[in-house]
Amino acid sequence: MLPYANMPYDVPPAICYPLSESCMLLLFILTLLHAWKRGPGHVAYMLGGFGFGLLLEYVNVVSNAGYKYGQFWLMLGHAPDNIPVCIGMGWGIIIYTSRLISDSRGLPLIAAAAFDALLALSIDASMDVVAYRLHMWHWSWDNRPEFPSPLTAQWFGVPYGNFFGWLCVVFFYSTFARTLEKIQFSKKIVIRCWQVIIPLLSILISQVALWITLFPMATWLNERFGIRSREKLVFLLILLPVLTIWGFRKKKQTTTPALPVIAWLVPVWFHLYFFTWLFIGGFATENSWMTFFCVLNLFMAMVIHWWIHIRKPIGS
């Protein structure tokens, strides 16, 4: 069943969902193995991202937050209010590998969290427009008469609030986890236990911060100043890069360690996989501006990751 009667795209080729899910599972296993070699704290951080992502998506779908998922192999919950487990895997590996990159640059805490959020958003921007048209997940615009077309509503069918939410989730989780990690203990057994507890506490605190941001604060901003999702997204797209640039100027680390393969494999797969489906699915001819921004996002990601992974830093 298609999400909209006036959506011109049929279900994708049969290979699309199994291939997407299999690749996500493989990346999840590879990322988990990398975290395992680094220690329990890193495994807990990655699994915390996985659990946080599943929890967020499940609560949003069950509470009828305006979107549903297509049916994959591994699903959590009962149809139609169920979610693919691979979505949680995607959250986990994106959050984990983004932190691998920011940690390698020696950034101050807030700047590192801001950089994590921007790296994650770059990947999400590659996914959502294409995945939406592949019916992997879709937003309902039926109760929004000001948006008569599901393909042109807000960001080519993707709500601005979705991108705002991505930035908030990653920024909060990264910030609170990094802050709690600064608490030191002397006994090894206590340290191990604390490393496992940190992601759980980070999720709880992040959920509270997210609820305040998305509900009481959002209502107040809308009623008092008429500020809605688009304006809040623009604000973060200004604030987070400023924090990131400030962090790079303030960092004390003069050498940059080599990043593991998984740190570039994850973003490369997401960017190239969904960019390829943009053309295989026939979406590239739908809207020239949409295709332009998809190409621009890929180009920006290439520049960023060239600078991160390939270019030899000064002083190294």
Side-chain angles (χ1 to χ4, degrees):
M1 180 178 178
L2 298 182
Y4 300 102
N6 60 340
M7 200 168 185
Y9 304 114
D10 203 343
V11 293
I15 190 63
C16 179
Y17 287 14
L19 179 61
S20 303
E21 196 169 14
S22 299
C23 290
M24 202 87 75
L25 177 60
L26 177 60
L27 287 173
F28 183 80
I29 293 172
L30 292 175
T31 307
L32 185 60
L33 289 173
H34 181 270
W36 183 270
K37 293 177 181 179
R38 300 179 73 205
H42 301 283
V43 173
Y45 185 80
M46 179 193 165
L47 293 181
F50 168 68
F52 194 12
L54 281 180
L55 177 63
L56 285 170
E57 303 294 351
Y58 187 73
V59 169
N60 285 335
V61 169
V62 171
S63 62
N64 194 26
Y67 65 94
K68 301 289 183 183
Y69 281 99
Q71 297 301 303
F72 290 75
W73 284 335
L74 297 175
M75 303 292 294
L76 176 66
H78 301 284
D81 297 329
N82 54 355
I83 62 171
V85 175
C86 66
I87 298 301
M89 294 178 184
W91 276 102
I93 62 180
I94 290 171
I95 287 174
Y96 178 81
T97 54
S98 294
R99 181 167 177 178
L100 282 179
I101 294 170
S102 60
D103 279 351
S104 74
R105 316 309 290 190
L107 301 176
L109 190 151
I110 292 298
F115 196 30
D116 288 348
L118 291 173
L119 289 171
L121 180 66
S122 173
I123 292 176
D124 186 53
S126 288
M127 280 194 296
D128 276 334
V129 168
V130 177
Y132 174 58
R133 286 159 174 77
L134 291 170
H135 307 296
M136 289 183 176
W137 51 85
H138 59 85
W139 290 268
S140 175
W141 298 99
D142 294 344
N143 59 346
R144 304 285 299 274
E146 68 271 31
F147 300 114
S149 170
L151 296 180
T152 59
Q154 296 196 359
W155 189 257
F156 308 109
V158 182
Y160 296 126
N162 172 75
F163 298 125
F164 177 77
W166 262 82
L167 289 172
C168 289
V169 168
V170 179
F171 180 77
F172 288 149
Y173 182 66
S174 179
T175 297
F176 295 128
R178 291 171 186 272
T179 301
L180 291 172
E181 286 169 6
K182 291 184 175 296
I183 300 176
Q184 300 294 320
F185 298 95
S186 57
K187 294 184 178 181
K188 288 186 177 180
I189 184 64
V190 178
I191 294 173
R192 291 290 182 91
C193 292
W194 180 241
Q195 288 175 335
V196 174
I197 293 172
I198 283 175
L200 297 177
L201 290 177
S202 301
I203 291 171
L204 291 174
I205 301 171
S206 296
Q207 282 281 24
V208 173
L210 196 61
W211 180 82
I212 293 172
T213 302
L214 298 182
F215 294 102
M217 184 180 293
T219 301
W220 180 76
L221 288 172
N222 185 28
E223 293 177 351
R224 187 73 180 270
F225 305 104
I227 295 175
R228 306 186 71 177
S229 296
R230 180 178 61 181
E231 292 77 19
K232 290 185 292 185
L233 175 61
V234 170
F235 172 74
L236 287 187
L237 290 177
I238 295 173
L239 175 63
L240 296 183
V242 168
L243 288 175
T244 301
I245 294 170
W246 167 82
F248 273 98
R249 292 178 63 87
K250 288 289 184 179
K251 72 171 185 173
K252 298 178 180 180
Q253 185 172 306
T254 57
T255 60
T256 303
L259 282 163
V261 172
I262 197 66
W264 62 260
L265 185 60
V266 167
V268 164
W269 180 82
F270 276 104
H271 284 296
L272 293 184
Y273 183 77
F274 285 95
F275 188 75
T276 300
W277 275 108
L278 175 71
F279 294 91
I280 294 177
F283 313 135
T285 58
E286 172 197 318
N287 185 314
S288 57
W289 279 111
M290 181 186 75
T291 303
F292 168 77
F293 283 114
C294 287
V295 173
L296 179 62
N297 185 62
L298 177 65
F299 175 76
M300 291 174 61
M302 290 171 60
V303 171
I304 290 170
H305 287 284
W306 166 81
W307 174 65
I308 292 170
H309 298 282
I310 299 175
R311 185 184 69 90
K312 186 177 181 180
I314 295 175
S316 64

